[in-house]
Amino acid sequence: MTAAGPDGPDAETLARAALTRVLEPGDERGGRWLRDRGAVGLMRLLTGPAPEAAVLTGVGPERLAGYRGRAVAADPRRDLAEAAAADCRFVRPGSPEWPTQLDDLGDARPVGLWLRGRPNLRTWALRSVAVVGARACTPYGAHMAQNLAAGLAERGWVVVSGAAYGIDAAAHRGALAAGGATAAVLACGVDVAYPRGHAGLLGRISGQGLVLGELPPGSHPTPSRFVLRNRVIAALTRGTVVVEAAHRSGSLVTARRAQQLGRLTMGVPGPATSGLSGGVHELLRGEGLLVTDAAEVVELVGAIGELAPERRGPVLARDLLDRDTVRVLEALPAGRPADLDAISLAAGVGTDEVIGRLYELHSLGFVERQGDAWQLTRQGPGAGVQSGAARRGGR
């Protein structure tokens, strides 16, 4: 919730809400000023007499005039009131709902965040994974993103993405379809439906999850804001999964920022001939980890003991045989019969035991009797026997 006293929002909240109209997302120069002066002190400097504002170093007169103009025009009380009317809220560093992992961004940390939706952002961010990828994705990419997100949601993880067309939308829809949690990080105001075609999707996300962003109500996106938005996705989550991305994809920016922040980066491989998987494969050749489903993602980002199931092919009838029976089976020559003595010698087992093993193999269809000799059947049992997995401790 927005910090407020009996007379409304406190001074720190008002100053930071105002600064979301003054500083662009990721403005590290402004972040240094904020660290040195504090939010209230910085707004006082920007709205005070020009000579006093000159102590803000690192910018020329024209750039500084731009900061000052935006600061004077900012009306945080109006923005907070409009946000409340739209069922939105503002959270800032130091408030109970602030996700402290965003502090890893240093001077590029958001001044504050505008939120739409009921869940507590700090609680959700503790168990969250970003799923990002290409806007012009393939059906394969959309299928993988949706299934991955649904699997994560079913396991109690929050799926975070950017609400763009393609992989982002597939990830959000997968989590929603599973009745799970999802959060969309926008490059515009949380009251602005962008892209316009996702107005319905954003409404569903805010109803079941969270929509958040750094920009105040009514703000529209720009190309640079999309790129800078990615740092929030990377810092907010435990790890980032890239499903499809070309070599110059913004999704790779998110993954590389996640790596810089010490977060896990993962990629879902695609066809070697697909240009949309080229960036993912580049990631996987570096520090990225290959994943194919939600269980593998959770094994990497989850708590100790949250392991993905063992991957194995179908259980064959031969897999169900014990070691001594396999030894007798392997002692039979291919394509011709053999007598008991020859089988016993090859297997290193007494003839009485060989007889018992051979009849066991006969009942399972591996061997057949030819008078006093035995030989392999031409087509032994090879079909998968799924029930045998339990007897062999398979998972």
Side-chain angles (χ1 to χ4, degrees):
M1 296 178 62
T2 302
D7 299 320
D10 61 27
E12 179 74 8
T13 298
L14 285 170
R16 284 187 173 269
L19 285 168
T20 64
R21 287 208 177 270
V22 177
L23 304 177
E24 276 293 305
D27 183 342
E28 294 191 52
R29 182 188 298 109
R32 288 193 296 272
W33 294 344
L34 189 55
R35 171 165 48 84
D36 293 340
R37 303 282 174 173
V40 175
L42 179 56
M43 279 300 295
R44 187 178 296 120
L45 284 170
L46 289 172
T47 56
E52 187 179 2
V55 299
L56 299 174
T57 59
V59 293
E62 292 185 4
R63 181 71 61 87
L64 184 57
Y67 282 113
R68 286 173 52 77
R70 291 192 295 273
V72 170
D75 187 347
R77 291 187 183 277
R78 181 191 62 197
D79 285 339
L80 291 168
E82 289 181 359
D87 203 20
C88 303
R89 62 191 183 279
F90 179 70
V91 298
R92 60 170 177 81
S95 66
E97 197 176 351
W98 181 257
T100 54
Q101 58 266 51
L102 290 179
D103 300 344
D104 293 346
L105 290 168
D107 290 335
R109 177 183 72 171
V111 174
L113 290 171
W114 299 86
L115 274 67
R116 183 156 59 103
R118 295 181 180 178
N120 182 286
L121 176 61
R122 181 170 186 165
T123 302
W124 269 32
L126 292 174
R127 194 175 167 86
S128 65
V129 176
V131 179
V132 297
R135 286 177 171 81
C137 67
T138 66
Y140 162 80
H143 171 78
M144 292 300 295
Q146 189 160 341
N147 282 4
L148 189 71
L152 288 167
E154 288 167 355
R155 289 166 171 80
W157 285 79
V158 179
V159 176
V160 178
S161 199
Y165 289 120
I167 296 299
D168 288 16
H172 289 307
R173 290 190 176 106
L176 291 169
T182 188
V185 183
L186 305 186
C188 56
V190 294
D191 60 334
V192 176
Y194 190 91
R196 194 174 298 275
H198 278 174
L201 176 61
L202 287 166
R204 291 180 61 203
I205 295 172
S206 64
Q208 189 169 315
L210 281 171
V211 175
L212 62 136
E214 301 175 73
L215 293 156
S219 300
H220 292 277
T222 64
S224 64
R225 287 173 175 176
F226 283 112
V227 175
L228 292 163
R229 176 270 310 272
N230 294 340
R231 82 193 196 288
V232 176
I233 295 175
L236 191 66
T237 53
R238 296 278 291 274
T240 295
V241 184
V242 183
V243 177
E244 277 188 325
H247 285 287
R248 294 177 59 85
S249 169
S251 301
L252 294 183
V253 174
T254 308
R256 293 188 183 111
R257 194 58 186 264
Q259 288 176 340
Q260 294 167 3
L261 292 166
R263 310 294 197 264
L264 283 163
T265 55
M266 296 153 278
V268 176
T273 54
S274 172
L276 279 175
S277 290
V280 180
H281 296 160
E282 178 186 349
L283 179 69
L284 294 175
R285 292 183 65 190
E287 297 181 10
L289 299 168
L290 188 150
V291 293
T292 59
D293 62 17
E296 292 176 350
V297 174
V298 171
E299 183 178 84
L300 293 170
V301 301
I304 293 174
E306 292 188 78
L307 300 177
E310 178 186 351
R311 298 294 194 265
R312 58 179 298 170
V315 178
L316 304 178
R318 181 178 174 129
D319 297 331
L320 309 180
L321 303 177
D322 62 43
R323 184 172 54 187
D324 292 335
T325 304
V326 170
R327 186 181 298 122
V328 171
L329 179 63
E330 291 177 344
L332 275 82
R336 60 183 177 83
D339 59 28
L340 285 175
D341 290 338
I343 298 171
S344 176
L345 181 63
V349 179
T351 55
D352 289 343
E353 183 174 349
V354 166
I355 292 172
R357 302 290 180 184
L358 286 170
Y359 275 103
E360 178 185 347
L361 291 167
H362 182 271
S363 68
L364 293 171
F366 284 98
V367 300
E368 58 189 13
R369 187 167 180 174
Q370 298 289 340
D372 291 332
W374 295 81
Q375 72 176 30
L376 296 171
T377 56
R378 289 188 178 182
Q379 189 172 5
V385 183
Q386 298 297 338
S387 60
R391 293 198 292 273
R392 290 177 56 83
R395 287 181 289 171

